[in-house]
Amino acid sequence: MLFPITALASGNSYKIAYDGGSLPDLKSGVSMKLFIDGDHIRIMKGDKEVAVIPASAVTEISYGQDVHRRVGAAIGVAVFTLGLGALLALSKSKKHFIGLTWDDDGKKGGIAFQADKNDYRGLLLGLEGITGKKSVDSETMTVKN
């Protein structure tokens, strides 16, 4: 009887890296897993449950990308091979961030985390599906001078 439950739980989990928010005693960059269950979102760090957020309590889902050039990596590689370092400087890497805010009967909170580039679309769809909220692109919300 434990096998089906374990298989179900692993199918709905996503690796994330905590970026900040209202979860206590966590530092930025900590690796965790986010589970999307039928009516709630669970965040686990190893075997420890860090947060359980009822899907009905989620007030907003946001996402955005941090795009930066790999200049630091290019400098390190350029020391050994000039041509490869120049090519690496022109490449980009994207980091995919997702934010959740919630209000669970007055217990408000929020979290920002980095999702894997292969998982973030599925993660967003899963969160939208259980919460009924449409995710918002945070880059379109920024004020540009």
Side-chain angles (χ1 to χ4, degrees), residues 43 45 51 82 88:
I43 301 173
K45 179 183 171 197
L82 183 60
L88 196 59

Side-chain angles (χ1 to χ4, degrees), residues 37-83:
D37 296 325
D39 60 349
H40 61 279
I41 302 157
R42 281 185 304 128
I43 301 173
M44 305 278 294
K45 179 183 171 197
D47 293 337
K48 183 182 176 192
E49 195 170 80
V50 177
V52 177
I53 306 161
S56 60
V58 173
T59 57
E60 184 178 76
I61 304 168
S62 60
Y63 69 94
Q65 294 180 349
D66 176 31
V67 179
H68 63 280
R69 299 210 181 269
R70 296 182 185 186
V71 176
I75 292 169
V77 172
V79 171
F80 300 106
T81 60
L82 183 60

Side-chain angles (χ1 to χ4, degrees), residues 3 40 61 76 78 81 100 102 111 115 119 129 137:
F3 180 74
H40 61 279
I61 304 168
T81 60
L100 287 177
W102 62 87
I111 179 175
D119 289 341
D137 185 351

Side-chain angles (χ1 to χ4, degrees), residues 3-144:
F3 180 74
I5 294 170
T6 305
L8 180 64
S10 65
N12 294 330
S13 71
Y14 298 90
K15 291 180 183 179
I16 61 170
Y18 185 70
D19 195 53
S22 60
L23 300 181
D25 302 325
L26 290 176
K27 293 185 179 186
S28 183
V30 171
S31 294
M32 299 186 295
K33 278 197 172 188
L34 184 142
F35 293 86
I36 298 177
D37 296 325
D39 60 349
H40 61 279
I41 302 157
R42 281 185 304 128
I43 301 173
M44 305 278 294
K45 179 183 171 197
D47 293 337
K48 183 182 176 192
E49 195 170 80
V50 177
V52 177
I53 306 161
S56 60
V58 173
T59 57
E60 184 178 76
I61 304 168
S62 60
Y63 69 94
Q65 294 180 349
D66 176 31
V67 179
H68 63 280
R69 299 210 181 269
R70 296 182 185 186
V71 176
I75 292 169
V77 172
V79 171
F80 300 106
T81 60
L82 183 60
L84 188 58
L87 287 175
L88 196 59
L90 297 175
S91 69
K92 293 181 183 179
S93 69
K94 291 182 182 178
K95 294 182 179 180
H96 302 277
F97 292 94
I98 297 175
L100 287 177
T101 56
W102 62 87
D103 184 352
D104 186 17
D105 292 329
K107 292 185 281 182
K108 296 181 180 185
I111 179 175
F113 55 88
Q114 182 180 346
D116 184 80
K117 67 181 180 181
N118 297 320
D119 289 341
Y120 86 98
R121 285 188 179 107
L123 179 51
L124 278 174
L125 287 173
L127 291 171
E128 288 176 350
I130 68 165
T131 62
K133 303 285 182 191
K134 183 75 177 148
S135 58
V136 178
D137 185 351
S138 61
E139 293 175 12
T140 61
M141 298 182 338
T142 58
V143 177
K144 296 181 180 175

